[in-house]
Structure formats: C-alpha cells, structure tokens
Amino acid sequence: MHFTPQQPILELGDAFYDPVTPANFPKTVLRFRNDRAAASVGLDTLSDDAWRAHFGRFVPLEGAQPQPLALRYHGHQFRVYNPEIGDGRGFLFAQMRDDAGRLMDLGTKGSGQTPYSRFGDGRLTLKGAVREILATEMLEALGVHTSRTFSVIETGEELHRNDEPSPTRSAVLVRLNHGHIRIGTFQRLAYDHDTEGLAKLTAYVLRHYYGEDAGDDAPQRLLAYVARRTAALAGQFMAAGFVHGVLNSDNINVTGESFDYGPWRFTPSWAPAFTAAYFDQSGLYAYGRQPEAIYWDVMQLATSLRLIAEEAPLIEALEGYAPAYHEAVTAAILWRLGLLPRGAEHDRPLVQSLERALSTSGCPLDRFYFDAFGGQLPPDYGEAFDPFRAQLAGYAPRKSREHPYWSGDHPCAMLIDEVEAIWSPIAAADDWQPLHDKVAAVRRFGEALA
C-alpha cells in the first residue's frame, strides 16, 4: 500500500475550520506506533524519527494539507445544546486513502489549544492515551466499527486534573478514522441558519463517504445512511458489552464509526443500567440506553436537515433506524457466538432468549462468550439458559475452535480493574511491558474471532 494523500476537506472552505499551530512540546518520546494501522494507509515504513516529526511535531506529510485544521461544530452534551464547542484539543492533521479506497483522517487529541479550547489547556494525559489504546484495540478485535489509535507520543509536560492524581504525565495521540464530520457539524450550520452550508456539507459527505452525487433528495439519502450506520454501531456496542460513556451529538460522526474515548467501560455482565462515566448520574448513556441515545442524536441530524428538506422523507429515513438496529445487534451477537445465521425468524428469537438468560443469571459476559463460541454451551450453565440452549441446537458454527486462543482457560477481557493494573506499572516504574503484552493478547483474540 502506497501513501495516497488527499485534501478534500479544503473543498468546504474556511467557514468550516480554523488553521491552527500545534503545541511545541518539551519532549517527543514515542510510546506506541500502530504499524498494523499504518500499513493500511502506506505509512508503516516511516522511521521512528520521521514518525516523531510527523506525529509529535506535526511536520506535514508530503502531499497532505499544509497546516492542521481545527474543525468547527456544536452539539448537545447530555441533551443540553452547546454552541461554544469545536475541536478544543485536537485537529485534522491529514487525509488519505486506505487499502479499501476509503477516505481516512488522521486526527489528534492533546495537540494544543485552538480557538475552541475555552478554559482548557488543549492537552491529554498519558493515562488517557493508554486507555484509548486499550479501548480501540479491544473494540477492533470485537468487530466494532472504531477509530484506531495510530500513535501515542509522551510530551514531557506535567498536567493537573481534578479526576486523577496530579501532576500527571502528558501525551499527544493521533487516531485514524473514517471521517471527523459529526452530527454536531450539521447542528452548527442549522444554528446559524446556513442553508447553503448545510447543502454543501451534505454533498461533501455523500460524495466522499458514500460515493454518491448530491441531488434533490440528498438530505434524506444522507440521513438514511447515517441512521443505518449508527444503528449498526449501537448493535455492535451491545454485542461487545461496551459503554462509550459520552454519546453526545458531537461524538457521533456521519460514517457511524465510534471514536473519542473518555470514560469508557466494558460491562462485566448484561446489566442495562451499567454506566461508564461517574458524572452520568442519571444513567443517560448507560449500557442498555445506548441504542436510544444514538437514535436521539440522529434525530438532531434530522432536525438540522429540516432546513433544506421536507419533513416527511426525513421521518421515513429515521424510521429505518429501529429495524437496522435489531438486524445489527442480532448479526453482531451471532458473530461473537461464532454462529452462521439462519434467518430472522430463528436468529432474533435466539438473541432475545440469550439477552433474557444473561440478564437474569448475571453471568460474566466475557466468560459466557468464551465458553459458547461455536455453539457448544457447557452443561454447567443453569436453567436460565435452557430456552437458549434448545434454540442453539439448530445452528452451525461459522468458525471452529482450533485457534490456540480457545485452548486457554481465561477469556480475553478489558474490565476496569485490568485497565488500572496495566497503567499502574507505567505510572510507578515506566514499565510498558504489560501494555504491550495486552495489545498482543487482544490482537490474538481478534484473530480467533475473525
């Protein structure tokens, strides 16, 4: 794969972004480079020195945009509209094609202040960067459409935060993902009654992310695509047992790819009320409420597009979300179980039986999926699983348990205690080996599932 730089973001014009200057960090210590992700965009042959220059000092990549761009957007944050946000500690660094021909972004987190930083320092804690590595690696292994942590460079600054011991170490993170155009990007234009900008952004997204030309029906076509993509993401979250934590409309992009990981968690069991963020006291973004939360955000996109489209076709597009979600969560759970689908009349009842059994039994989620992969549920699972077991008999495995992963005793998991245990030796002794070992184990897990 050869590096194929692109600059389509410049088509939108300077009303959509602000050129910014990256922070000048005291140090650039390379802590993580994702050569697997880099190979997909032709950047895996960079030397470590070149890597630090591009992703720690942000020297432009040849052929890419000449200056970082902080993107403008608004959004609902915990259902409260906020017109004072935008890229406050990150920017779009470069665009390129991947090995599937998709337009990809390299975006940053912790790269310095921008016009939207408000009172923030524009920085990222090293612990936050490590947590994002772990989240994205695990989600990728579990088949979730996620951004990928591309690079983490420690920057040598001491940061003070209210929610962790301070001073703490700092880092700049680069993520690779399929676009940074958010629902909140459209909301900003609607807030300003910028119908020309809404039409322009709609055409841009259709052309570069969905491969279609605009037309009179462009807004409803776009909304239908986003509804289906985000419904698929919600289903994948549920199958993975993942709680994003902050599903605000500025954290949902129009390609349906999860990104921007803050207070995330994996739930230990099928517990709908399980939350990731200590400040989510109402459980707005709890595990079981994520499909509804994402749908609410998609409704905000529909409201924004109402300025350039009729109501009826937008409502019709929104109505595609629920069936797309049910189809997606069913497919994702079957995939994680290692089973071939049999058709909706069999698959949906199987998944419903499983959800009831997991909910009533409190069975550890990762343990269950490990034991049941390929359709062979051990006999020690209790009577709560009897209806599921009976339905399971008609299914064939999509993949055997021949991979060495399945001969082990323990499932690969990413619960919060282990996350803290991986961070602890880094903080205490600059020991990165547990992190490297965990990434290798997660990738091995992904190979067993794939």
Side-chain angles (χ1 to χ4, degrees):
M1 175 68 190
H2 297 289
F3 178 57
T4 310
Q6 307 280 295
Q7 301 185 35
I9 191 68
L10 301 181
E11 297 172 11
L12 288 173
D14 57 11
F16 289 81
Y17 47 71
D18 295 271
V20 293
T21 301
N24 183 18
F25 298 115
K27 297 178 181 178
T28 53
V29 182
L30 180 56
R31 294 302 191 182
F32 179 78
R33 60 175 283 171
N34 190 339
D35 280 321
R36 184 168 71 171
S40 72
V41 292
L43 291 172
D44 54 314
T45 59
L46 289 174
S47 68
D48 281 354
D49 285 344
W51 190 281
R52 282 188 289 267
H54 290 305
F55 308 125
R57 299 298 180 194
F58 297 101
V59 175
L61 291 160
E62 185 176 357
Q65 67 200 44
Q67 188 170 4
L69 302 173
L71 303 183
R72 301 178 182 179
Y73 52 85
H74 291 176
H76 280 87
Q77 298 183 308
F78 285 82
R79 304 282 167 92
V80 177
Y81 193 76
N82 187 350
E84 302 296 331
I85 54 177
D87 276 339
R89 57 172 174 168
F91 48 65
L92 176 60
F93 175 58
Q95 294 179 293
M96 69 236 39
R97 296 285 170 185
D98 71 0
D99 51 10
R102 302 183 305 162
L103 179 64
M104 304 296 289
D105 289 353
L106 286 174
T108 65
K109 189 174 182 179
S111 49
Q113 291 182 310
T114 77
Y116 309 103
S117 298
R118 292 177 290 169
F119 302 107
D121 60 12
R123 274 32 177 200
L124 171 68
T125 67
L126 182 62
K127 184 178 183 180
V130 167
R131 285 172 46 82
E132 189 143 339
I133 293 170
L134 294 171
T136 55
E137 289 286 335
M138 190 66 175
L139 289 174
E140 184 180 355
L142 287 167
V144 177
H145 294 148
T146 177
S147 65
R148 301 165 83 181
T149 302
F150 193 83
S151 170
V152 170
I153 290 176
E154 189 169 0
T155 55
E157 296 178 315
E158 291 188 342
L159 304 180
H160 291 266
R161 295 290 187 265
N162 294 326
D163 55 354
E164 60 181 280
S166 296
T168 189
R169 293 154 71 177
S170 58
V172 61
L173 178 145
V174 178
R175 71 166 68 96
L176 176 69
N177 71 306
H178 191 34
H180 280 82
I181 303 299
R182 309 152 192 258
I183 288 174
T185 314
F186 285 83
Q187 288 182 279
R188 182 185 72 86
L189 298 168
Y191 181 87
D192 291 336
H193 299 280
D194 184 357
T195 55
E196 181 179 345
L198 279 167
K200 189 174 187 178
L201 184 60
T202 299
Y204 174 88
V205 172
L206 282 173
R207 180 166 61 253
H208 292 294
Y209 296 108
Y210 292 100
E212 294 185 1
D213 293 329
D216 291 341
D217 64 344
Q220 54 262 40
R221 275 192 289 128
L222 174 62
L223 182 61
Y225 281 131
V226 175
R228 288 198 292 271
R229 289 279 187 93
T230 55
L233 177 64
Q236 291 165 359
F237 277 175
M238 296 304 289
F242 181 72
V243 187
H244 184 282
V246 188
L247 291 174
N248 297 329
S249 61
D250 59 300
N251 283 340
I252 303 295
N253 69 10
V254 294
T255 64
E257 189 174 78
S258 179
F259 72 108
D260 203 8
Y261 299 101
W264 60 268
R265 295 280 194 280
F266 283 89
T267 180
S269 62
W270 191 279
F274 182 85
T275 57
Y278 69 87
F279 46 81
D280 187 6
Q281 296 175 351
S282 69
L284 180 64
Y285 298 143
Y287 173 56
R289 296 183 68 182
Q290 291 183 120
E292 181 271 334
I294 293 174
Y295 177 67
W296 192 93
D297 290 329
V298 177
M299 286 196 296
Q300 307 320 303
L301 175 60
T303 300
S304 300
L305 292 173
R306 182 65 184 85
L307 273 67
I308 59 171
E310 295 299 321
E311 182 176 347
L314 294 176
I315 292 174
E316 183 179 356
L318 277 176
E319 288 173 346
Y321 181 93
Y325 167 72
H326 290 301
E327 180 180 339
V329 72
T330 300
I333 288 176
L334 285 171
W335 181 85
R336 192 169 181 191
L337 285 168
L339 301 177
L340 293 172
R342 295 178 60 199
E345 70 276 15
H346 298 288
D347 298 341
R348 187 62 193 145
L350 176 81
V351 167
Q352 290 171 336
S353 292
L354 175 57
E355 290 173 349
R356 285 192 293 270
L358 289 171
S359 180
T360 57
S361 68
C363 173
L365 205 56
D366 297 298
R367 179 83 253 172
F368 166 78
Y369 280 122
F370 181 86
D371 290 344
F373 187 83
Q376 300 297 317
L377 189 64
D380 56 346
Y381 280 80
E383 62 182 22
F385 288 88
D386 286 347
F388 169 73
R389 193 191 306 275
Q391 292 166 298
L392 192 63
Y395 281 83
R398 67 168 175 85
K399 190 173 182 179
S400 73
R401 295 177 67 104
E402 292 179 359
H403 189 281
Y405 168 77
W406 302 111
S407 65
D409 295 325
H410 302 288
C412 184
M414 193 68 73
L415 300 181
I416 187 60
D417 288 347
E418 185 175 7
V419 173
E420 293 294 334
I422 290 168
W423 167 250
S424 182
I426 296 172
D430 209 30
D431 179 4
W432 291 79
Q433 195 58 50
L435 174 67
H436 298 318
D437 291 345
K438 186 61 179 181
V439 170
V442 168
R443 292 184 177 185
R444 182 169 169 263
F445 172 46
E447 291 171 0
L449 284 175

